[in-house]
Amino acid sequence: MLRVYLDQNKWIDLARAAKGHPAGARYVEVLEAARTAVAAGTASFPLDMIRYVETGKRSNDRSRNDVANVMIELSNRHTMLPGRYVLPAELDRALKARYGRPEEPRRPAVFGSGIQHVTNGQVVLPELDISLLRSAENDIDASDYPKIQEIYSKLLEAELLRGGPAMARLAGVDGDTRHLDQQYIDYENKIASEIRARGLSGPILDLAVRASDLGDIRPAVTEAVESIGLTWDRFVEDLGPAGVVEFMDDLPTRHVTNVMRGAKLRQTEQRWELHDLNDILGLPVAAVYCDVVVTEKQWAHRFTQAKIEARYGTTILRSVTDLTAVLQRAATA
């Protein structure tokens, strides 16, 4: 089964096709191909947390529901973990390659089902109390309980995607993350300013990017190295400057993250924008663990330059229309 990751704009393209919008006419064929592939079980369109967040931010109910409905239909509740939950297993594998331990590296369950999986168990949907449905006129057979629970779960999952800013506020959830997003952008722009001020380029810039990222993931690295009997200080001493780049690139999702960060930091005329954060958070896991990624031209170009396709066996596409042929080949494989 092909696992296909679509960024937000590609889902919007399919939503327009589903609603018969003039701008969606060129995407009707690929939408039908996707529906056919999902029904046949030859393709899966998993959602990540960024899809929930970006869709939930759309304040226009009709527009948000149009996108959510296509996501619900094609994803079939298939979801994927964020990078921070995949990282521990990647650290274990990298440490085993370097030190021969841990003996049994953790294995990430990247793909799963529903909001419970995408939040790594932090959000658990309530189960239906079947007793509330029983009555003298409605005698439900026990054998029907699993089917009813499945229907109930699908409805809850669908409403999570459809619920917009107003529903989030009613639930006491602050969906406005712009201040947090801005903190990250300010941080990256500060690093970019320091790189420009010092005139860093080439391998030295690569080292600066990966060294800053190693600092960012220090808590996870510390936990992993301590589990094999090392301290953070000893580990960093063992690495040395040259080893920092090698080790960080041995962590697949961090490698892709730093390919993206390095590309942005080299663009001295272009500052970081708020939407870049969502790309940085969502695309690395997809580029490593999905079979196909359909994303914007900027990142598709950078991934091609960095040979991401060859390294991880991922097909990178720029337009969702290019997906039609990929899905058709998968159906006949």
Side-chain angles (χ1 to χ4, degrees):
M1 176 188 290
L2 280 183
R3 288 192 170 97
V4 182
Y5 179 89
L6 306 179
D7 74 12
Q8 194 71 10
N9 286 334
K10 311 312 176 187
W11 282 109
I12 292 171
D13 290 340
L14 295 183
R16 286 170 173 162
K19 296 301 293 182
H21 190 285
R26 63 190 296 253
Y27 306 113
V28 170
E29 182 181 10
V30 68
L31 175 60
E32 290 308 311
R35 284 169 166 165
T36 299
V38 169
T42 57
S44 167
F45 290 77
L47 305 177
D48 62 354
M49 180 54 75
I50 304 303
R51 302 285 72 76
Y52 283 83
V53 172
E54 289 198 340
T55 304
K57 285 181 177 179
R58 299 174 74 89
S59 57
N60 183 289
D61 291 345
R62 179 196 55 77
S63 173
R64 183 181 64 254
N65 288 336
D66 288 348
V67 176
N69 288 342
V70 173
M71 288 181 171
I72 293 162
E73 177 188 0
L74 295 184
S75 73
N76 197 26
R77 292 190 293 163
H78 293 179
T79 54
M80 50 194 285
L81 286 175
R84 65 181 178 275
Y85 298 127
V86 177
L87 179 60
E90 293 185 345
L91 283 166
D92 281 1
R93 291 199 298 271
L95 290 173
K96 185 175 178 64
R98 185 173 289 266
Y99 295 102
R101 56 190 194 277
E103 292 184 6
E104 296 185 7
R106 286 167 285 190
R107 296 178 180 273
V110 178
F111 301 100
S113 179
I115 191 69
Q116 182 170 347
H117 180 76
V118 84
T119 61
N120 201 36
Q122 293 185 31
V123 175
V124 179
L125 297 180
E127 290 194 4
L128 175 65
D129 185 351
I130 297 291
S131 66
L132 297 176
L133 301 179
R134 291 199 193 98
S135 67
E137 297 80 19
N138 185 21
D139 186 17
I140 301 174
D141 191 275
S143 63
D144 291 328
Y145 289 179
K147 190 180 301 183
I148 295 171
Q149 179 64 50
E150 176 71 8
I151 294 170
Y152 172 75
S153 296
K154 284 185 176 181
L155 291 172
L156 282 183
E157 293 278 0
E159 290 310 308
L160 278 173
L161 271 172
R162 294 191 184 106
M167 183 178 290
R169 287 192 295 271
L170 285 173
V173 176
D174 182 7
D176 188 353
T177 61
R178 284 175 296 182
H179 61 295
L180 297 175
D181 297 348
Q182 190 60 55
Q183 286 179 11
Y184 175 80
I185 299 308
D186 291 344
Y187 167 73
E188 291 289 8
N189 280 326
K190 180 181 178 181
I191 293 176
S193 296
E194 292 176 355
I195 286 173
R196 288 194 296 271
R198 300 185 184 191
L200 303 183
S201 62
I204 300 299
L205 188 148
D206 290 336
L207 173 59
V209 169
R210 282 147 178 87
S212 68
D213 192 40
L214 178 60
D216 290 343
I217 65 171
R218 177 173 175 171
V221 176
T222 300
E223 184 271 333
V225 299
E226 287 181 349
S227 74
I228 63 169
L230 296 177
T231 65
W232 165 265
D233 290 339
R234 172 63 188 276
F235 172 68
V236 172
E237 182 181 346
D238 283 351
L239 281 182
V244 169
V245 174
E246 180 183 344
F247 179 75
M248 293 303 291
D249 285 357
D250 282 343
L251 308 174
T253 56
R254 302 318 299 175
H255 169 241
V256 177
T257 297
N258 289 316
V259 164
M260 298 173 72
R261 293 180 65 232
K264 290 292 293 187
L265 291 168
R266 283 181 170 86
Q267 296 175 353
T268 55
E269 306 85 8
Q270 186 177 359
R271 291 175 63 82
W272 286 75
E273 303 293 342
L274 291 178
H275 63 83
D276 291 327
L277 175 57
N278 285 335
D279 294 335
I280 291 287
L281 291 175
L283 282 170
V285 175
V288 173
Y289 294 101
C290 287
D291 301 295
V292 183
V293 172
V294 192
T295 186
E296 60 183 271
K297 292 180 181 178
Q298 165 189 197
W299 298 125
H301 174 64
R302 297 302 179 186
F303 288 166
T304 299
Q305 283 185 320
K307 298 179 172 59
I308 297 297
E309 288 181 291
R311 183 161 181 156
Y312 301 112
T314 311
T315 298
I316 308 294
L317 304 177
R318 302 183 182 196
S319 172
V320 74
T321 57
D322 297 332
L323 187 57
T324 304
V326 175
L327 292 173
Q328 290 172 345
R329 284 197 298 271
T332 58

